[in-house]
Amino acid sequence: VYVSADVGIGGGIVVDGRVLPGARGVAGEIGHVVIERAGRLCGCGGTGCVEVYAGLPALLGDAGAAGVAALRTAARAGDPAATGALARAGAALGTALTSVLHVVDVGTVVLGGSYAELGTWLVPAVHAELVRRGVATGPDVAVLVSPHGRAATVPGTARAVADRVLGEPDLLLAG
């Protein structure tokens, strides 16, 4: 499962090197997984979506940081507001991922986008929540940081387009 935060919380489910699109093309969209039924109002109109607890705007607001670089700098310096916000966001993300992993039963979670830049703090918090909720009993579920950081969506999108064209070459000829 790939999870990123920049505009909301996006994601993808990758099986055998292929991204599963889902029937409506939104498989892996975990930003609207509900983690608190009577929780905060979300932009989607629902309440308690993980995005309002662990999305980038929520995380930066909770930490009182102007941007990802400022948050990272504050966390490195041990600022309690920054490290606390990251721990809370990681726990919220881990709660949402618990539901996702129960459904798709994969062994790896990859944090990308801004989450990759904050992986030092998010990975342990996410993994601890997965362990606490019984999804991970140790190394059987790995939480990793994408080596591509914020650029991970570019090769992923290119791969998805290439797969679609190779799978349906008539699309190139359609006018």
Side-chain angles (χ1 to χ4, degrees), residues 41-56:
L41 183 63
C42 180
C44 74
T47 57
C49 299
V50 67
E51 189 166 297
V52 297
Y53 298 94
L56 192 56

Side-chain angles (χ1 to χ4, degrees), residues 2 110-113 116 144-150 152:
Y2 174 82
V110 179
L111 302 181
L144 310 172
V145 172
S146 170
H148 303 292
R150 291 183 117 170

